[in-house]
Amino acid sequence: MSLAKSPLSESDVQTDECARDDCDVEFDVHRGAVAGSYCSRDCAWRDQGGVLKTIVHDHRFCATCFARIKETVSPDDDWRERHASALESALDQGGEFVAGEGGQMVLDATDCDHHRVTSVDAVIGVQYLTDQADHGLRSLPSPDASDRATWAPICQCGNTDHSHHEPEFDGEDTVARAYNLIALLEFLRDEDKAPRSPDGAALMRNVRVDGEVSWRRAIGAALQEDPRR
């Protein structure tokens, strides 16, 4: 024999507001809560996709296409010795020995970009561009509206500012960007900057929903084992 559940009285209904900042939906905590404090799975994933902020502020990645544009390595003893030496530093920058007075060899540092020895104790890492980026000119904002530019890493997608996510490009090369993002999230997991390894299939399914692209939702879906728990 099965027993029918009695409906909750109005006094038993407990409502709460969705935990997502830009959602003001109120829901029945007992019947409609998702991941404890959200009104829907979509809101839970969008809010818990906050790892996107980590990506935006990490200079090693492009926030538009999620490609890894820089490699960083810890300097070894050989690097420290060479850069602590004024002589080695000058030679690395194009300095050369030339004949001086009395047949002595003199270091000509005319072509050197700078003349200071690196403070090697302050260096915690050395960075190199990957094959996903190259150096190019990046425009800079100027208070007098004049054209200013500086050399900076340029991502292969055309982004000149690694921390800028260009929504206009969200619909382009979505699959390729999704694969970049999966690899990026796995890398962040190895550095304990993401809660778990990403579910690639979940990310792919949630990048585009009803024609709308949301990387934040996709990240949340990829990193949640079960948003209804």
Side-chain angles (χ1 to χ4, degrees), residues 9-223:
S9 65
E10 290 187 8
S11 60
D12 294 327
V13 175
Q14 181 181 351
T15 62
D16 196 3
E17 189 171 295
C18 183
R20 183 180 163 197
D21 289 340
D22 55 352
C23 179
D24 56 5
V25 170
E26 292 188 353
F27 58 92
D28 182 342
V29 173
H30 298 294
R31 293 181 175 178
V34 176
S37 55
Y38 298 94
C39 70
S40 66
R41 179 180 300 183
D42 188 70
C43 273
W45 283 344
R46 285 174 184 264
D47 201 47
Q48 294 169 10
V51 173
L52 185 58
K53 291 182 180 179
T54 301
I55 297 170
V56 166
H57 291 98
D58 193 321
H59 66 97
R60 297 172 298 177
F61 306 106
C62 171
T64 291
C65 74
F66 310 114
R68 187 171 182 179
I69 59 176
K70 293 179 184 177
E71 296 276 0
T72 55
V73 296
S74 298
D76 56 22
D77 291 339
D78 178 64
W79 186 95
R80 292 181 182 279
E81 289 177 7
R82 286 191 296 107
H83 287 79
S85 164
L87 174 60
E88 293 291 346
S89 179
L91 293 175
D92 282 346
Q93 297 176 66
E96 59 181 351
F97 285 105
V98 296
E101 295 182 2
Q104 293 183 335
M105 298 300 292
V106 179
L107 177 64
D108 180 3
T110 305
D111 294 334
C112 294
D113 294 328
H114 57 84
H115 299 82
R116 292 183 179 179
V117 176
T118 302
S119 178
V120 295
D121 291 337
V123 177
I124 60 174
V126 182
Q127 62 183 25
Y128 305 93
L129 293 185
T130 69
D131 58 3
Q132 303 295 311
D134 202 351
H135 279 103
L137 286 176
R138 170 187 169 190
S139 60
L140 297 174
S142 174
D144 59 1
S146 61
D147 292 332
R148 297 176 57 209
T150 185
W151 284 97
I154 308 297
C155 181
Q156 63 174 1
C157 73
N159 190 13
T160 61
D161 181 356
H162 72 84
S163 64
H164 174 67
H165 179 79
E166 180 50 66
E168 184 178 340
F169 297 153
D170 278 347
E172 299 180 11
D173 298 326
T174 304
V175 173
R177 294 177 189 224
Y179 277 116
N180 284 346
L181 184 54
I182 292 170
L184 193 164
L185 292 174
E186 192 66 60
F187 181 83
L188 292 180
R189 175 66 186 93
D190 291 341
E191 293 189 335
D192 292 327
K193 294 179 180 178
R196 59 182 60 86
S197 293
D199 181 335
L203 188 148
M204 287 290 192
R205 287 195 304 270
N206 287 278
V207 169
R208 187 189 298 272
V209 176
D210 296 330
E212 179 205 20
V213 173
S214 172
W215 296 107
R216 191 180 185 91
R217 175 184 57 223
I219 291 171
L223 297 180

